[in-house]
């Protein structure tokens, strides 16, 4: 059967003159992009064509076309809005082609043998100490500090310097903003002060990690962290041992890991705060209770809520021939919320994973569950992220009981990861 043409891909309802531009323009729309993409998926089905002037967007929300896209070599690239993020920071995740393939090998080798659980446990001690003495806490900033400590322990065997927090927050914001603002509000980049402040923050983050590189090179010692892994990978011919290269690798991993770990952990703990029966089951050590809860929280709030690819050659998706040069959006957050894939999709139901917790969380080629992306460009460290998240949840639930603040409904916004604009406040009680 001949594939249908690009123009036959369903198009969501749009303004008669402005088309789909009103769906995307402005800060408010930018932060609610997940809702916009969900609306497209509910209206159009597995494929939705969204013309935006000279740009062509395609939203995929069914497993088969998503799997085809993610396994296609011709679509194994990031589009120009996301590649421009490298203007902000030399982000390895946005490399393409052979550069990406080489970087992937280097980073995977650097992550071999690192003591991820030791890093989490070291970071958990001050976090749990805070929870034991607190009556209430906002999980967003509290977990962000925990994640920063854990990732820094993983990277350089040291705690995060709180003086870096304004710089981390600014860089993290801009890493998402380059891709989002360029599509939703490009005028936001007309302020020179914004770029000056960003450059100052990037410099501060690089300087902190460079100091660790210099100290390690002066006194190597024995370490099982990512810095040691990068040095070992360079010795095997994968990457450079130059101080600047080691520093940039550490900075890349820090921002990627911190964002994902913060979002996944804070949402999981908040869901447990709303479901005391699940907390109790985990605390009692019921079989699979912890694993089921973590997998269900990643379904509702995946580590990567949205990502994109760009077609480099015509590609047949779900019976339609998509031309080269189309930016394709895949949102795990949306796919995981569609009733055609998940019964009662908005409900937190850990029991749906009963008997399935041994199945790989890494994206299946034909599954509707992809919390860490998928295909050639799936999360480099997803095999590490899941046990780190699980360890945090296990330790927290064993020590304290969390209770969601009555009447509070999170205002979910998207800015690189899904977060709550009005916080995730919970009450805390010590167990026992």
């Amino acid at each position: 059967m001949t594939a249908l043409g690009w123009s036959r891909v369903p198009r969501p309802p749009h303004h008669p003159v402005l088309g789909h531009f009103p769906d995307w323009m402005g800060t408010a729309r930018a932060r609610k992009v997940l809702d916009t993409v969900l609306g497209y998926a509910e209206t159009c089905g597995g494929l939705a064509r969204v013309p935006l002037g000279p740009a062509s967007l395609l939203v995929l929300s069914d497993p088969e076309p998503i799997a085809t896209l993610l396994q296609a070599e011709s679509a194994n690239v990031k589009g120009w809005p996301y590649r421009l993020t490298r203007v902000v920071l030399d982000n390895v995740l946005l490399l393409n082609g052979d550069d990406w393939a080489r970087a992937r090998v280097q980073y995977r080798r650097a992550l071999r043998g690192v003591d991820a659980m030791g890093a989490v446990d070291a970071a958990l001690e001050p976090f749990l100490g805070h929870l034991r003495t607190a009556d209430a806490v906002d999980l967003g900033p509290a977990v962000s500090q925990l994640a920063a400590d854990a990732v820094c322990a993983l990277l350089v065997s040291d705690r995060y310097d709180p003086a870096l927090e304004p710089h981390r927050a600014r860089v993290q914001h801009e890493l998402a903003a380059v891709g989002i603002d360029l599509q939703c509000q490009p005028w936001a980049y007309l302020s020179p002060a914004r770029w000056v402040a960003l450059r100052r923050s990037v410099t501060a983050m690089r300087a902190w990690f460079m100091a660790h590189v210099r100290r390690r090179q002066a006194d190597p010692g024995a370490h099982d962290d990512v810095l040691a892994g990068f040095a070992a990978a360079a010795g095997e011919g994968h990457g450079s041992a130059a101080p600047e290269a080691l520093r940039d690798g550490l900075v890349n991993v820090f921002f990627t890991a911190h964002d994902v770990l913060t979002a996944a952990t804070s949402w999981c703990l908040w869901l447990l705060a709303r479901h005391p029966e699940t907390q109790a089951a985990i605390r009692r050590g019921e079989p699979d209770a912890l694993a089921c809860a973590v997998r269900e929280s990643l379904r509702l709030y995946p580590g990567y809520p949205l990502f994109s690819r760009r077609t480099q050659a015509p590609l047949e998706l779900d019976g339609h021939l998509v031309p080269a040069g189309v930016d394709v959006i895949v949102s795990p957050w949306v796919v995981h919320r569609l009733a055609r894939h998940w019964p009662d999709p908005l409900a937190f139901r850990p029991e749906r994973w009963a008997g399935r917790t041994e199945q790989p969380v890494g994206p299946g080629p034909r599954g509707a569950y992809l919390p860490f992306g998928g295909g050639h460009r799936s999360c480099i460290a997803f095999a590490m992220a899941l046990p780190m998240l699980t360890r945090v949840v296990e330790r927290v639930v064993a020590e304290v009981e969390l209770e969601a603040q009555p009447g509070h409904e999170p205002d979910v916004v998207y800015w690189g990861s899904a977060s709550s604009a009005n916080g995730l406040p919970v009450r805390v009680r010590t167990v026992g």
Side-chain angles (χ1 to χ4, degrees):
M1 181 182 296
T2 303
L4 298 174
W6 169 240
S7 64
R8 300 285 296 277
V9 176
R11 183 177 173 184
H14 52 278
H15 189 279
V17 177
L18 301 176
H20 297 285
F21 277 106
D23 296 348
W24 296 81
M25 293 295 102
T27 303
R29 290 290 187 181
R31 291 185 175 276
K32 292 296 183 180
V33 66
L34 294 175
D35 291 338
T36 300
V37 174
L38 179 60
Y40 292 161
E42 291 175 333
T43 301
C44 296
L47 277 70
R49 179 172 59 94
V50 186
L52 292 172
S56 297
L57 295 182
L58 176 65
V59 175
L60 301 185
S61 55
D62 282 354
E64 291 292 332
I66 289 174
T68 301
L69 173 83
L70 297 183
Q71 299 296 332
E73 288 287 353
S74 63
N76 185 25
V77 299
K78 291 284 189 175
W80 68 267
Y82 294 89
R83 292 202 304 271
L84 281 177
T85 303
R86 297 190 67 193
V87 175
V88 175
L89 196 67
D90 191 21
N91 193 333
V92 69
L93 299 180
L94 302 174
L95 295 173
N96 283 321
D98 291 341
D99 290 337
W100 163 248
R102 285 191 293 269
R104 186 181 181 87
V105 172
Q106 176 197 4
Y107 277 62
R108 285 199 181 279
R109 286 179 176 268
L111 292 169
R112 291 185 311 186
V114 299
D115 185 11
M117 295 303 100
V120 171
D121 287 340
L124 270 167
E125 291 312 314
F127 179 73
L128 291 172
H130 172 60
L131 292 184
R132 293 185 199 107
T133 59
D135 295 322
V137 67
D138 184 346
L139 289 172
V143 172
S144 176
Q145 177 67 48
L146 165 66
D149 281 342
V151 174
C152 285
L154 182 72
L155 293 174
V156 293
S157 302
D158 194 9
R159 286 195 67 184
Y160 177 67
D161 182 355
L164 291 173
E165 184 55 19
H167 301 298
R168 181 210 62 78
R170 181 177 290 111
V171 175
Q172 201 94 57
H173 175 89
E174 297 293 0
L175 282 171
V178 170
I180 297 172
D181 278 354
L182 283 172
Q183 297 179 80
C184 300
Q185 46 183 24
W187 56 86
Y189 278 97
L190 298 180
S191 168
R194 180 175 182 175
W195 289 100
V196 170
L198 172 59
R199 180 49 47 190
R200 186 181 301 118
S201 292
V202 169
T203 300
M205 296 299 300
R206 284 176 169 166
W208 192 79
F209 283 104
M210 178 61 90
H212 283 81
V213 171
R214 297 292 190 193
R215 286 196 291 271
R216 185 69 58 85
Q217 290 183 325
D219 182 17
H223 299 274
D224 50 7
D225 54 24
V226 175
L227 177 52
F230 274 128
E236 297 169 357
H238 300 284
S240 169
E244 293 76 14
L246 297 174
R247 172 204 67 191
D248 288 346
L250 295 171
V251 172
N252 272 321
V253 177
F254 174 81
F255 280 105
T256 302
H258 177 272
D259 197 30
V260 172
L261 189 58
T262 298
T265 304
S266 57
W267 283 115
C268 186
L269 292 176
W270 177 77
L271 284 168
L272 291 176
R274 295 191 70 165
H275 295 272
E277 71 286 355
T278 305
Q279 278 189 78
I282 295 172
R283 199 172 292 118
R284 289 192 301 267
E286 292 186 10
D288 280 351
L290 175 61
C292 288
V294 168
R295 290 192 180 219
E296 179 69 347
S297 75
L298 286 171
R299 184 188 67 82
L300 286 168
Y301 298 97
Y304 286 104
L306 182 147
F307 56 88
S308 76
R309 300 289 188 269
R310 185 175 179 85
T311 57
Q312 301 297 294
L315 181 65
E316 184 174 339
L317 296 173
D318 201 24
H320 295 268
L321 189 62
V322 178
V326 173
D327 287 307
V328 186
I329 291 176
V330 176
S331 173
W333 191 89
V334 167
V335 175
H336 295 175
R337 277 172 163 71
L338 292 172
R340 60 181 182 262
H341 305 319
W342 300 91
D344 198 9
L346 300 185
F348 178 70
R349 288 174 45 192
E351 65 274 12
R352 74 173 85 230
W353 295 97
R356 302 167 58 193
T357 56
E358 296 303 316
Q359 297 176 2
V361 169
R366 290 294 184 268
Y369 185 63
L370 52 162
F372 297 109
H376 296 294
R377 301 188 69 105
S378 61
C379 175
I380 290 175
F382 77 81
M384 188 181 300
L386 180 63
M388 291 177 73
L389 166 61
T390 303
R391 178 67 68 91
V392 171
V393 174
E394 181 181 33
R395 291 282 307 278
V396 169
V397 170
E399 294 266 354
V400 299
E401 181 179 354
L402 303 176
E403 179 186 347
Q405 180 174 301
H408 179 83
E409 287 297 327
D411 178 14
V412 179
V413 295
Y414 172 73
W415 204 263
S417 60
S419 61
S420 174
N422 58 346
L424 294 173
V426 297
R427 296 171 179 171
V428 185
R429 288 193 294 272
T430 303
V431 172

